[in-house]
């Protein structure tokens, strides 16, 4: 059983920055791949970034160079640093534990004004 609590969302102007945090609780968390997904209003959910147990990362092309995913295993926390935010980044962002089993957090709203 893994529980995820996402926080850090809010309202920011285009070009600004936000850092999302995901506090995880459970067992064998260091073995998990974690990811951030987002769902813009009226659209389907999409993968934003992921980070493996070894620290390897992957990013969607739309955020590459602007977003950075990281993890602090000692704190059982995953972060998403978002810089140079665009209006198109507006979405509900979800923290996801991908493997060995899948768990979803409640989501946090990010709104970017143009």
């Amino acid at each position: 059983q893994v529980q995820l609590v996402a926080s850090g969302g809010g309202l920011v102007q285009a070009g600004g920055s936000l850092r999302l945090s995901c506090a995880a609780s459970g067992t064998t968390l260091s073995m998990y791949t974690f990811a951030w997904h987002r769902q813009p209003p009226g659209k389907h959910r999409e993968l934003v970034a992921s980070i493996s147990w070894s620290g390897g990362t992957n990013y969607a092309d739309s955020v590459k160079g602007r977003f950075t995913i990281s993890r602090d295993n000692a704190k059982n926390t995953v972060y998403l640093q978002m810089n140079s935010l665009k209006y198109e980044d507006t979405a509900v962002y979800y923290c996801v534990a991908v493997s060995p089993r899948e768990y979803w957090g409640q989501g946090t709203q990010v709104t970017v004004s143009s």
Side-chain angles (χ1 to χ4, degrees), residues 34-100:
F34 288 93
W36 288 94
H37 290 242
R38 68 184 182 186
Q39 184 170 19
K43 299 181 179 180
H44 63 276
R45 292 181 182 180
E46 62 182 356
L47 175 66
V48 176
S50 65
I51 183 166
S52 72
W53 62 271
S54 61
T57 58
N58 287 287
Y59 298 92
D61 288 341
S62 60
V63 307
K64 194 171 299 182
R66 300 187 298 120
F67 290 11
T68 302
I69 188 171
S70 61
R71 64 192 294 171
D72 186 335
N73 289 335
K75 296 181 178 179
N76 293 327
T77 303
V78 182
Y79 304 96
L80 184 67
Q81 179 67 46
M82 305 184 295
N83 298 325
S84 301
L85 283 163
K86 305 175 181 179
Y87 175 79
E88 293 76 22
D89 297 318
T90 295
V92 177
Y93 284 72
Y94 296 90
C95 179
V96 185
V98 178
S99 63

